[in-house]
């Protein structure tokens, strides 16, 4: 018998302020525990009867190490079948680092939960989440499809623990971000539910490798009250992703495969939907550029530990600001971006990098496509030296210079001019 990862039966722990589901995890001769937790006022969302969340949350590490999974508790019959028959073979086929494994469960449940009626999505104040909210809350939706709740998960996006004390630090950041982001849900009167977990301590390879499964595991934990969950797509259309993958390029995030993965993670009573996949990031930005509350609350920054404001110069900020500029909406977002700083420090350089990277980077391609649609020639905004610098930064010569201290000092002066 090969290596086995065993998930013990879940234990329900209740305190004055939270309901927690915890399970013992055994693998490679080690024993550990894993938990998911939700505030007491949302206790009805916690799926206390199944081990679905633990199974999906631990699927990637098991496949990466080639360990079959034995679940001692109960799992959805539909989920178990789909994992063994479809998702595990698919993931192993798409990524040769993953091994094809088998999942077994102590028992299965094929019942439909009539009490699960809520419709939710995650909210991080970014473009993708605002588009999902705009489509399924701001715009009219039939009953059963209109958003009723927003969620905020601690499953890896706030950091992956690498040393003692990291879990506590990551949880503090998770709660600080939740407090910052809750102003929008409060303004539109949508419940904003935090879900805490330590599943990411098992995801040592990084969140980009595991994000889809980690997020879905938290969604499955909410299966006691959640009927439908819209997972905001990664900002690329189906067509763009199919071409990207067809050219043999490996996606930089598992979320780029959501269209193939999420259908196999649904249960008898919970649908997880890849939402917004008909729009790329630039056209998503166009969709919400006229939404006043997005202009008031949008937060896209890479370097926003405090979250007081967007830095306006990191790649995500620059990309968003260039898109807004192409749309003629840049100044409308001055409440959340430092527009003069963007124009002064990164605009020219980022436009040059966008031109150079178009065709091999999907987001750069989005920008160039939008510019052409708007009748704007971005090449007129930069000079030959700007293009040369951008090509240098994206070529092998740049790597060589970085590894040579003398050349690195010379290059710093050149690129800062």
């Amino acid at each position: 018998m090969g290596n086995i990862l065993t998930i013990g039966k879940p234990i329900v722990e209740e305190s004055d302020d939270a309901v927690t589901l915890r399970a013992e995890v055994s693998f490679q001769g080690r024993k550990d525990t894993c938990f998911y937790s939700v505030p007491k006022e949302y206790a009805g969302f916690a799926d206390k009867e199944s081990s679905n969340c633990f199974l999906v949350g631990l699927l990637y590490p098991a496949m990466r190490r080639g360990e079959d999974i034995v679940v001692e508790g109960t799992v959805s019959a539909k989920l178990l079948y789909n994992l063994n028959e479809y998702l595990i073979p698919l993931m192993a086929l798409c990524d040769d680092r993953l091994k094809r494994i088998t999942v077994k469960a102590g028992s299965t449940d094929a019942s439909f939960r009539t009490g699960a009626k809520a419709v939710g999505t995650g909210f991080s104040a970014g473009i993708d989440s605002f588009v999902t909210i705009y489509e399924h809350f701001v715009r009219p939706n039939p009953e059963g499809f209109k958003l009723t709740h927003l969620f905020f998960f601690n499953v890896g996006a706030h950091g992956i623990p690498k040393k003692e004390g990291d879990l506590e630090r990551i949880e503090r950041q998770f709660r600080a971000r939740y407090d910052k982001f809750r102003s929008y849900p409060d303004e539109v009167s949508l419940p904003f539910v935090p879900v805490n977990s330590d599943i990411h301590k098992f995801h040592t390879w990084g969140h980009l490798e595991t994000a889809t499964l980690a997020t879905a595991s938290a969604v499955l934990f909410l299966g006691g009250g959640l009927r439908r969950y819209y997972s905001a797509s990664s900002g690329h259309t189906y067509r763009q992703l199919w071409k990207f993958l067809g050219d043999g390029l490996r996606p930089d995030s598992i979320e780029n495969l959501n269209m193939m993965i999420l259908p196999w993670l649904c249960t008898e009573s919970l649908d997880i939907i890849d939402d917004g996949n008909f729009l790329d990031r630039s056209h998503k930005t166009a969709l919400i550029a006229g939404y006043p509350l997005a202009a008031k609350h949008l937060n896209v920054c890479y370097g926003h530990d405090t979250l007081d404001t967007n830095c306006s110069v990191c790649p995500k900020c620059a990309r968003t600001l260039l898109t807004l500029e192409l749309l003629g909406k840049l100044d409308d977002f001055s409440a959340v971006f430092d527009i003069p700083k963007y124009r002064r420090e990164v605009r020219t350089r980022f436009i040059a990098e966008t031109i150079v990277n178009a065709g091999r980077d999907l987001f750069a391609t989005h920008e160039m496509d939008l510019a052409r649609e708007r009748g704007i020639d971005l090449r007129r905004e930069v000079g030959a030296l700007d293009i040369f610098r951008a090509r240098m930064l994206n070529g092998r010569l740049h790597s060589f210079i970085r590894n040579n201290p003398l050349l690195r000092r010379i290059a710093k002066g050149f690129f800062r001019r």
Side-chain angles (χ1 to χ4, degrees):
M1 183 179 293
N3 294 329
I4 294 177
L5 184 152
T6 302
I7 302 172
K9 290 184 178 180
I11 298 171
V12 179
E13 302 172 355
E14 298 192 20
S15 65
D16 292 338
D17 57 359
V19 172
T20 300
L21 200 65
R22 191 181 302 274
E24 186 176 86
V25 182
S26 302
F27 63 101
Q28 296 183 325
R30 299 165 48 196
K31 286 190 176 181
D32 205 335
T33 63
C34 178
F35 79 88
Y36 294 83
S37 180
V38 69
K40 192 70 171 286
E41 62 186 298
Y42 299 106
F45 278 93
D47 181 359
K48 304 173 186 177
E49 308 300 324
S50 83
S51 297
N52 295 336
C53 57
F54 301 107
L55 170 57
V56 171
L58 293 165
L59 182 63
Y60 185 92
M63 291 187 67
R64 192 67 182 259
R65 294 190 296 259
E67 299 167 340
D68 290 336
I69 299 177
V70 173
V71 184
E72 294 179 348
T74 300
V75 299
S76 155
K78 177 179 179 179
L79 177 65
L80 181 65
Y81 186 82
N82 285 343
L83 290 185
N84 281 321
E85 295 297 322
Y86 304 110
L87 183 57
I88 290 171
L90 172 64
M91 289 177 60
L93 185 64
C94 290
D95 188 342
D96 57 13
R97 299 171 303 173
L98 303 179
K99 309 298 188 295
R100 185 165 178 172
I101 64 171
T102 300
V103 180
K104 296 180 180 179
S107 60
T108 58
D109 180 7
S111 62
F112 180 86
R113 302 192 176 188
T114 56
K117 297 181 179 179
V119 180
T121 190
F123 179 66
S124 62
I127 296 291
D128 297 322
S129 60
F130 261 120
V131 166
T132 293
I133 291 168
Y134 189 79
E135 290 284 5
H136 300 288
F137 179 72
V138 178
R139 288 183 171 177
N141 272 254
E143 185 178 355
F145 294 88
K146 187 180 180 70
L147 286 170
T148 62
H149 292 74
L150 301 180
F151 296 93
F152 195 62
F153 301 142
N154 183 24
V155 291
H158 311 290
I160 299 295
K162 297 179 180 179
K163 60 182 184 301
E164 188 175 353
D166 278 359
L167 272 174
E168 292 77 12
R169 176 186 56 78
I170 290 167
E171 183 175 344
R172 287 195 299 271
Q173 182 157 277
F174 156 69
R175 298 200 180 280
R177 290 178 171 179
Y178 169 80
D179 289 338
K180 171 65 178 180
F181 290 149
R182 68 184 304 167
S183 59
Y184 172 78
D186 287 347
E187 191 164 349
V188 297
S189 300
L190 276 175
F192 189 34
V193 185
V195 175
N196 193 21
S197 177
D198 63 353
I199 189 66
H200 41 295
K201 71 183 180 184
F202 296 96
H203 298 164
T204 55
W205 303 272
H207 189 58
L208 289 179
E209 303 281 359
T210 60
T212 298
L213 297 171
T215 300
S217 74
V219 173
L220 290 165
F221 167 65
L222 299 166
L226 196 59
R227 173 67 184 91
R228 184 167 286 108
Y229 183 87
Y230 298 111
S231 180
S233 68
S234 61
H236 309 303
T237 66
Y238 273 168
R239 181 176 181 177
Q240 290 163 342
L241 286 171
W242 282 125
K243 184 179 186 306
F244 185 79
L245 297 171
D247 288 342
L249 299 173
R250 186 173 175 274
D252 59 0
S253 170
I254 192 175
E255 291 181 312
N256 289 333
L257 300 177
N258 279 2
M259 56 185 170
M260 295 188 287
I261 293 175
L262 291 180
W264 306 120
L265 296 176
C266 302
T267 70
E268 289 78 2
S269 53
L270 173 55
D271 290 332
I272 307 177
I273 301 160
D274 183 30
D275 184 67
N277 43 57
F278 55 94
L279 290 172
D280 62 33
R281 183 69 56 73
S282 294
H283 291 88
K284 282 186 170 188
T285 306
L287 183 64
I288 56 100
Y291 180 36
L293 292 185
K296 181 178 178 181
H297 297 281
L298 186 67
N299 196 306
V300 302
C301 191
Y302 270 142
H304 56 352
D305 284 341
T306 63
L307 292 182
D308 291 334
T309 184
N310 295 291
C311 78
S312 304
V313 295
C314 73
K316 286 188 72 176
C317 284
R319 182 171 65 229
T320 303
L321 287 166
L322 177 58
T323 304
L324 291 170
E325 184 176 355
L326 293 172
L327 294 167
K329 296 285 187 178
L330 186 59
D331 291 332
D332 292 353
F333 284 75
S334 59
V336 290
F337 290 103
D338 186 337
I339 308 300
K341 185 179 181 182
Y342 156 72
R343 287 181 168 134
R344 182 176 63 251
E345 296 186 18
V346 298
R347 179 182 182 273
T348 300
R349 172 171 58 82
F350 188 77
I351 290 175
E353 291 176 1
T354 297
I355 293 169
V356 168
N357 290 325
R360 58 183 177 182
D361 176 84
L362 283 174
F363 286 120
T365 304
H366 298 171
E367 298 291 339
M368 294 298 290
D369 289 345
L370 180 63
R372 279 192 289 270
E373 289 176 19
R374 306 286 295 182
I376 299 170
D377 185 358
L378 286 178
R379 293 183 181 274
R380 293 180 177 272
E381 302 295 320
V382 296
L385 185 58
D386 300 312
I387 295 294
F388 175 71
R389 286 172 173 163
R391 292 193 187 282
M392 285 275 289
L393 287 170
N394 289 278
R396 292 180 181 176
L397 182 57
H398 181 239
S399 297
F400 175 74
I401 291 172
R402 286 182 63 188
N403 292 325
N404 186 300
L406 176 60
L407 293 177
R408 188 167 65 243
R409 283 197 299 271
I410 296 171
K412 275 186 178 180
F414 172 74
F415 286 111
R416 284 175 178 172
R417 285 202 295 267

